[in-house]
Amino acid sequence: MGAADAIDPATLPWADSAPPDDCLLPGNDTAPDNDTVPDNGPLPASGPPETNSTAQPPAVAAAATLLAALSRHGVRQVVLCPGSRSAPLAYAAVRLAARGEVSLHVRIDERSAGFLALGLAKATGEPAAVITTSGTA
């Protein structure tokens, strides 16, 4: 599989609009550089953040941290099977693709995504990541 399979983030339907507020780093429309991870402070002892708080949800912060780490460790191909439970990871992957740090491939079947990632890894000699949800397969 080559670059023809990669998604050009500029062609996505929401390319001209900002993603939902809960997937952006607070007060920052750009992601941190590769040498830093955002410090969102300590997590609350229990329950969601205050409604007036600008802290991002823990899942969004964790997804951004995880994908940034994968990118720093050489992952250049990400295969995404979108779903509601993996939405924070999907948003983080789209942001990395928009910055040109990864090539993003979207598949609707988890099995085909796994095989695509395997083929990409074998063809490039580099690791590939797969993001799935709790699909039906």
Side-chain angles (χ1 to χ4, degrees):
M1 301 291 155
D5 290 330
I7 291 179
D8 178 5
T11 64
L12 296 173
W14 59 83
D16 293 333
S17 62
D21 289 338
D22 65 346
C23 71
L24 293 176
L25 297 172
N28 183 5
D29 290 344
T30 60
D33 62 40
N34 283 339
D35 295 328
T36 63
V37 174
D39 180 12
N40 298 312
L43 295 176
S46 64
E50 296 294 326
T51 54
N52 294 336
S53 172
T54 59
Q56 66 191 57
V60 174
T65 300
L66 175 64
L67 270 286
L70 289 174
S71 177
R72 279 194 310 273
H73 288 285
V75 171
R76 299 291 173 254
Q77 305 290 330
V78 176
V79 184
L80 169 65
C81 291
S84 62
R85 292 186 180 128
S86 62
L89 289 168
Y91 291 137
V94 167
R95 292 182 71 199
L96 284 178
R99 292 195 317 253
E101 294 183 36
V102 299
S103 294
L104 182 60
H105 311 269
V106 179
R107 299 296 182 268
I108 59 171
D109 178 75
E110 293 86 359
R111 293 165 291 200
S112 64
F115 285 115
L116 173 59
L118 178 62
L120 289 168
K122 287 184 74 131
T124 64
E126 298 175 343
V130 180
I131 299 171
T132 65
T133 191
S134 60
T136 59

